[in-house]
Amino acid sequence: MFSKEFILLFCSLVAGVFLGELGSMTTPFQIGALMDGLNLGEAAAGMLGSAEIVTIGCCMLAVALGAIRMAPRQMALCGAVITGTGQLLTALTDILALLFILRVAVGLGSALCLSAAIITISSFKHPESTTGFVYAYVILLLALIMYLIPWLLPYGHHRALFSLFAALTILGSLLLLNLPARQIYQQQVFKVNGDNNIYRLIALLFVGEFLLLAGVGTVWAFLERIGLATGITPHDVGLYMSLGMLVSMLGSFVAGIVGVNFGRSLPLVGGAILTAAGSGLVPGSTDAASYLIMLFLFLFMLSFVLPYVIGTAAMIDRSGRLATAALAVQIFSYGTGVVIGGFVVEHFSLGALSYIGFSGPVLAACFFFVVCRKLSGPYAIPAK
């Protein structure tokens, strides 16, 4: 069915995305570990989590603009070295200022790993499906890690957590050798009918993406604290979030199967609206059952809709630079949401996150609807 070369390349893509997403996807546990291990407040812990995430977004934007030019393999290996070093040093220090610098360094390394994988994925014939399948396997790995983290934290809080991240980075870097050793220069741009400006459409796509991720980022960063507030034990929160990641994997897998067989409008717009329902209701959970149901809806729909955002950008620019920019906007927006979430929780309450978690994705759906309407011509779906 699949050649050995393709399987090895696919494993490299999974490793690159995994190392790039590890920090941002485990932000709730990072915040909790830093608060418990260093007695930090919500705002300070949120700032450290945001430093890494915003750095990832900014560095990926630099890659998209051509400021960093390397072959995917070289880019990913450099990123793995920087990330592994930063994770290990984070586990060894308690100084807040140094922690901030180290999280920025980890963000840089993560951005290089993630950019290398996304640039390679963009060269595939159907990037939406490839993105969905790659993220499905990445999320499966993250689900296992999220289940283990609560059992590890009592043995050292942030020291134990970031030591684990350093070890995972070393192991993951061994798979990056199968990424392309030369730069990818393929390019293909949508021909938009009428007088629609392609750059205006890209701006609308990115604004919608920012609203989506900034909204859900406020909720995602405090999922652990929301679960604890309902009376769930820390180990059960880890179990629920691990199960939630499996549901999230299913969302990415479904996106990979569906692809663009039904166009882009339905998955982008409908997915954003259903994401709003989940992220808006999670902070108001009062018991384990409501927390679990809304968590599943939230994570499934978010993982379903994101491959379409990245895939649409990848089809506009087949070199991968625009898809990298889309992921940069996504991560930067999410980091912004973490900061907003920390401010809201510290000055209001966990329940107040519902307003932002709902309104952000709903507004994003409006922008996605406009983009899909303007891309409704024959170039909106790649030729089979």
Side-chain angles (χ1 to χ4, degrees), residues 5-346:
E5 290 75 14
F6 177 82
I7 294 174
L8 291 175
L9 176 59
F10 187 84
C11 290
S12 293
L13 295 175
V14 171
V17 173
F18 174 78
L19 295 180
E21 296 279 15
L22 177 61
S24 58
M25 294 292 281
T26 56
T27 298
F29 292 105
Q30 288 190 43
I31 289 177
L34 289 168
M35 290 174 61
D36 295 336
L38 299 175
N39 295 319
L40 297 179
E42 288 88 349
M47 179 191 67
L48 289 176
S50 177
E52 176 182 348
I53 297 165
V54 172
T55 301
I56 294 175
C58 292
C59 291
M60 292 192 72
L61 186 59
V63 173
L65 295 175
I68 302 176
R69 295 178 179 270
M70 288 186 283
R73 182 188 301 174
Q74 181 183 4
M75 185 182 295
L77 290 174
C78 288
V81 171
I82 296 172
T83 300
T85 303
Q87 301 284 26
L88 182 59
L89 293 178
T90 298
L92 299 176
T93 185
D94 298 329
I95 303 173
L96 183 60
L98 182 56
L99 283 171
F100 182 85
I101 296 173
L102 290 172
R103 299 324 295 168
V104 170
V106 170
L108 170 60
S110 299
L112 294 177
C113 292
L114 191 52
S115 296
I118 293 300
I119 288 172
T120 305
I121 289 173
S122 297
S123 66
F124 281 55
K125 183 177 180 180
H126 298 295
E128 295 91 351
S129 294
T130 305
T131 302
F133 287 129
V134 167
Y135 269 87
Y137 284 96
V138 169
I139 292 170
L140 178 62
L141 294 173
L142 289 170
L144 175 61
I145 292 170
M146 286 187 174
Y147 176 73
L148 295 175
I149 285 177
W151 298 90
L152 180 68
L153 290 180
Y155 296 98
H157 299 296
H158 73 289
R159 298 187 189 280
L161 180 64
F162 293 111
S163 294
L164 172 64
F165 288 174
L168 291 172
T169 302
I170 294 172
L171 292 175
S173 63
L174 300 177
L175 296 173
L176 300 176
L177 296 173
N178 298 298
L179 289 173
R182 297 182 179 180
Q183 293 190 44
I184 298 173
Y185 294 103
Q186 186 180 10
Q187 187 171 2
Q188 174 182 335
V189 180
F190 277 137
K191 297 178 181 178
V192 182
N193 294 331
D195 58 355
N196 294 319
N197 187 296
I198 191 67
Y199 298 106
R200 186 181 302 123
L201 295 182
I202 293 172
L204 291 172
L205 177 66
F206 284 177
V207 170
E209 189 179 22
F210 177 86
L211 291 169
L212 173 68
L213 271 297
V216 302
T218 61
V219 177
W220 169 254
F222 290 91
L223 281 178
E224 183 204 28
R225 297 289 142 164
I226 293 171
L228 295 176
T230 64
I232 306 172
T233 66
H235 289 165
D236 283 341
V237 170
L239 174 61
Y240 292 165
M241 290 189 66
S242 178
L243 293 174
M245 294 305 292
L246 293 177
V247 173
S248 182
M249 179 198 71
L250 181 61
S252 294
F253 191 75
V254 170
I257 294 175
V258 173
V260 290
N261 292 322
F262 302 100
R264 289 186 172 81
S265 181
L266 183 61
L268 271 176
V269 178
I273 291 174
L274 290 175
T275 300
S279 62
L281 292 173
V282 167
S285 302
T286 56
D287 53 38
S290 61
Y291 176 75
L292 195 60
I293 292 171
M294 291 303 104
L295 179 68
F296 283 3
L297 175 62
F298 169 37
L299 295 179
F300 178 92
M301 293 313 308
L302 181 61
S303 294
F304 175 82
V305 74
L306 289 180
Y308 290 95
V309 178
I310 299 172
T312 300
M315 289 306 300
I316 294 175
D317 175 16
R318 300 289 279 166
S319 71
R321 292 174 62 181
L322 190 60
T324 303
L327 200 52
V329 172
Q330 175 180 312
I331 294 172
F332 181 79
S333 308
Y334 170 66
T336 303
V338 173
V339 174
I340 295 173
F343 177 84
V344 170
V345 172
E346 188 164 306

